[in-house]
Amino acid sequence: MSEAQAAARLQQRIEELCGASLRALVGDPELHFRAHRLHRGRRALPIFGPHLQPSLEDDDFASFRGAADAMALRLCLSDDALHRSLCPEDTARRWVFEWLEQCRVEALAPARLPGLVRNLRHRHEAWSLAFLHSRLFESEKGLLLFALAQISRARVTGEPMIEAAEDPIEGERARLVPVIGSELAALRRTRADQAAYARHALALAEMVAPGLEIGPATRPRAEGEALEQEGGFSLLVDFDAEVDDGIRAAPSVAGRAPAEGGDDYRVFTRAYDREGRPAARLRPALLAEYRDTLDRRIAEQGLNVARLARRLRALLALPQRDGWDDDQEEGRIDGRRLARLIATPSERRLFRIERELPAADCVVAWLIDCSGSMKQHIEAVALLADVFMRALEQAGAAGELLGFSTGAWNGGRAAADWRRAGRPALPGRLNEAEHFVFKDADTPWRRARRDIAALLRAELFREGIDGEAVDWACERLEARPEARRILIVVSDGCPMDGATALANDPGTLERHLREVLGRREQNGRVEVFGLGVGLDLSGFYSRSLALDLDAGAGNAALAEIVSMLARCGRRPG
């Protein structure tokens, strides 16, 4: 079993166990975890607090169990309608109000369940230590948030603060407690009455919010203001997020319209961008293990490569001249045979027929989104891509397998350069773009099969800058000699890069993707298709298919892809 498979199975087992515990506590059989998120039926529930976000220690059973227990208490002990009616709209006040409500329900944990109380404490400690070791803690606002979180939880629950937090926040606590002390005491007294508690929580939020100013990145940020997400640790929480399970439509984010007269997309620096072959970075033994995993999965699925190749040949091949068949009894008169007619008047084999053979003068490239959310689907996607590349070769067409990601989370060195430059407003793309070549069009599948297996490497998957990747892949195809060029973009979501989103107008990356696709559609040299993994990409791609890989990555899925090419593609005239 590969390292990625083992991690995925461990996480799945943790989610199953924690989901069963949560259903027992709440008494709701529709509750379950899926992709690290709590769902009720087909709807993803909101995240109730920053310390319950799914990115924190998801492979730590005790930590995940603590998050599940905290969510169970919130569902059991908090009146959601009352809470929403009192919730402030301002982001900073909302953050404080949500945090205090979560502290309230955790303070009401039944004493008869000491294991649950320990789990809650463990989750809070894990989150607190991650906060302490993040760069957010080094800013003034980060220190204020951390101190507020530690002081308020300790006061409301009656538990001592974690030992590692006491010294770092001593000065902030001495400044903060005299200001909010009376409200903290009132929170402790009224924790059993949600409405009364909420009045004091709102008052406390009003006191501290001016020092936080956590807001959307729709304006230039001052020094220290971008504390919401740094170094892989985030305080940004969409408390109202609800997501459909299964196939869903890709959302559209509104934002400032592009500058008149052209595209407003910019790149802060390309100094750290790179293109390469991921297989070159892996140990041969690990690459062989990945290849064995992929071969075993293909064998288990019973995929019919020969049948797929026949369908692709019928779809992509066009008749091409391949010489002449002489000595025919019909066809075009062959002048070289006229002397035979004089010598033998009964001779009929005086004709020749032009021979035509089907040839696929075509190149097909798969461009795979290697963002973090695709990690859970990548084994199925790699299986389909590998078989498709093999079938293309048998059909006589060329095939490329490409990918894209970023070199770091949250901007990496590009974002660090931006901060050193004084955080200029609207810097544009603010991360290290990475483009991968798993198989190029000139390399036979047999020689590239190990390189293709590098798709299973979990460390490749970070964030996604789709527009630049589509442009890059199209440029590669346009340099090819084939008459027909097809690009299939495989993705499970919209473009997303945390650093770029925080420092620019909303929708910057989405607008750029639409601009690139519109331009490529207009010049017509490359046919671009969108293959959505559990997502309807028709909002971006005029030719698209939503593929549900939960139903299996077998022959039916491959047949759907071929049908999309047949239905939406065009043949060279």
Side-chain angles (χ1 to χ4, degrees):
M1 182 185 300
S2 70
E3 183 180 322
Q5 281 182 300
R9 291 186 181 181
L10 173 62
Q11 180 58 35
Q12 182 180 7
R13 182 62 176 158
I14 290 173
E15 290 183 5
E16 289 172 354
L17 293 172
C18 291
S21 171
L22 189 145
R23 288 191 294 274
L25 289 169
V26 180
D28 186 343
E30 292 194 339
L31 293 173
H32 64 280
F33 285 99
R34 177 178 171 83
H36 316 324
R37 286 291 301 274
L38 178 61
H39 288 66
R40 176 180 281 126
R42 295 179 61 84
R43 304 290 294 182
L45 297 181
I47 296 172
F48 299 122
H51 65 311
L52 304 182
Q53 293 192 80
S55 59
L56 176 70
E57 300 293 341
D58 282 341
D59 58 349
D60 176 358
F61 177 78
S63 182
F64 198 96
R65 177 65 186 272
D69 290 344
M71 295 173 194
L73 291 175
R74 184 65 173 264
L75 293 171
C76 290
L77 302 177
S78 181
D79 184 332
D80 185 61
L82 174 61
H83 180 76
R84 288 178 178 272
S85 69
L86 297 172
C87 240
E89 295 183 1
D90 173 75
T91 310
R93 291 167 179 80
R94 175 74 181 273
W95 194 98
V96 176
F97 188 72
E98 293 282 359
W99 171 265
L100 292 175
E101 176 61 11
Q102 188 61 37
C103 289
R104 185 185 76 83
V105 299
E106 293 184 22
L108 298 177
R112 69 179 187 279
L113 299 175
L116 181 145
V117 175
R118 285 195 300 272
N119 294 337
L120 297 175
R121 176 76 175 176
H122 179 83
R123 182 70 177 193
H124 173 66
E125 288 183 356
W127 177 80
S128 299
L129 291 174
F131 198 153
L132 274 173
H133 292 110
S134 72
R135 287 173 289 175
L136 297 180
F137 185 73
E138 300 172 4
S139 69
E140 182 179 340
K141 293 172 186 175
L143 176 60
L144 173 58
L145 274 175
F146 184 76
L148 176 64
Q150 299 302 316
I151 294 167
S152 59
R153 190 182 191 279
R155 189 65 63 90
V156 174
T157 63
E159 297 178 356
M161 280 191 293
I162 65 170
E163 185 176 349
E166 290 183 355
D167 289 342
I169 66 168
E170 185 59 38
E172 191 69 17
R173 178 166 55 178
R175 184 187 69 82
L176 195 58
V177 169
V179 178
I180 64 173
S182 60
E183 296 299 341
L184 285 174
L187 290 175
R188 172 73 178 175
R189 290 194 307 270
T190 60
R191 60 183 180 169
D193 182 344
Q194 183 176 349
Y197 181 94
R199 289 196 295 272
H200 298 290
L202 288 169
L204 193 152
E206 192 67 33
M207 292 176 180
V208 300
L212 299 177
E213 296 179 0
I214 306 172
T218 54
R219 55 184 172 78
R221 292 181 176 273
E223 179 67 29
E225 189 173 5
L227 60 84
E228 297 92 337
Q229 190 169 356
E230 289 281 1
F233 182 82
S234 175
L235 294 176
L236 288 172
V237 184
D238 185 356
F239 295 109
D240 296 313
E242 290 191 359
V243 184
D244 276 320
D245 234 352
I247 303 296
R248 61 197 190 278
S252 177
V253 176
R256 180 173 58 86
E260 185 175 351
D263 178 25
D264 67 336
Y265 186 73
R266 293 180 297 280
V267 176
F268 182 74
T269 178
R270 297 188 185 274
Y272 309 109
D273 297 354
R274 62 177 177 172
E275 173 187 330
R277 297 179 178 271
R281 309 177 200 171
L282 299 182
R283 292 182 292 108
L286 183 59
L287 202 56
E289 181 183 337
Y290 288 156
R291 186 64 239 183
D292 290 343
T293 299
L294 204 53
D295 289 340
R296 187 168 58 253
R297 284 295 310 277
I298 291 172
E300 291 171 358
Q301 291 289 333
L303 296 174
N304 193 325
V305 179
R307 183 194 304 164
L308 177 61
R310 287 194 298 271
R311 294 196 63 184
L312 288 172
R313 185 182 298 112
L315 174 65
L316 302 176
L318 291 174
Q320 292 188 359
R321 294 179 178 179
D322 190 45
W324 296 84
D325 288 330
D326 298 326
D327 295 329
Q328 304 297 312
E329 294 187 356
E330 60 181 8
R332 298 183 182 182
I333 294 178
D334 186 353
R336 297 171 301 174
R337 301 293 188 268
L338 292 179
R340 183 183 301 176
L341 176 62
I342 297 171
T344 311
S346 61
E347 178 64 60
R348 293 184 178 182
R349 294 174 298 172
L350 306 173
F351 302 90
R352 64 176 180 166
I353 299 174
E354 189 172 24
R355 187 169 55 243
E356 290 185 342
L357 292 178
D361 188 14
C362 178
V363 57
V364 181
W366 280 42
L367 176 64
I368 297 177
D369 173 10
C370 296
S371 58
S373 59
M374 277 287 287
K375 194 185 300 185
Q376 60 183 312
H377 307 297
I378 197 55
E379 191 170 289
V381 170
L383 182 152
L384 293 176
D386 181 79
V387 171
F388 207 91
M389 292 297 114
R390 188 175 174 185
L392 280 171
E393 186 171 301
Q394 292 184 15
E400 283 207 326
L401 187 54
L402 311 172
F404 65 96
S405 182
T406 58
W409 290 98
N410 305 316
R413 292 168 292 180
D417 286 353
W418 172 69
R419 288 190 290 272
R420 283 192 291 268
R423 303 174 185 261
L426 303 176
R429 190 253 288 171
L430 207 57
N431 207 329
E432 309 169 19
E434 277 209 286
H435 295 152
F436 305 132
V437 179
F438 298 98
K439 176 192 179 302
D440 61 58
D442 294 321
T443 302
W445 172 83
R446 187 170 296 279
R447 286 178 51 198
R449 56 192 301 273
R450 282 204 172 191
D451 289 14
I452 293 172
L455 260 171
L456 300 182
R457 182 65 170 172
E459 284 75 5
L460 298 179
F461 297 82
R462 295 188 179 94
E463 300 184 87
I465 303 168
D466 299 45
E468 290 188 53
V470 171
D471 236 359
W472 166 73
C474 286
E475 288 173 2
R476 286 181 63 91
L477 292 179
E478 287 176 351
R480 298 288 307 170
E482 288 80 5
R484 188 178 183 190
R485 308 173 184 95
I486 295 173
L487 175 65
I488 300 175
V489 183
V490 186
S491 177
D492 73 335
C494 303
M496 183 59 205
D497 171 55
T500 302
L502 286 170
N504 295 275
D505 281 340
T508 295
L509 295 178
E510 287 189 23
R511 287 197 304 273
H512 181 240
L513 174 59
R514 286 195 172 90
E515 185 275 328
V516 168
L517 292 172
R519 174 159 40 85
R520 293 297 172 182
E521 184 77 23
Q522 188 174 10
N523 71 32
R525 290 192 289 271
V526 177
E527 301 169 56
V528 183
F529 296 80
L531 186 59
V533 180
L535 184 81
D536 180 6
L537 295 177
S538 59
F540 292 97
Y541 298 85
S542 60
R543 292 168 288 203
S544 65
L545 170 68
L547 201 61
D548 184 6
L549 292 183
D550 291 336
N555 291 310
L558 290 166
E560 285 188 68
I561 298 170
V562 175
S563 296
M564 172 187 69
L565 297 177
R567 183 177 62 254
C568 305
R570 63 178 184 270
R571 300 173 76 88

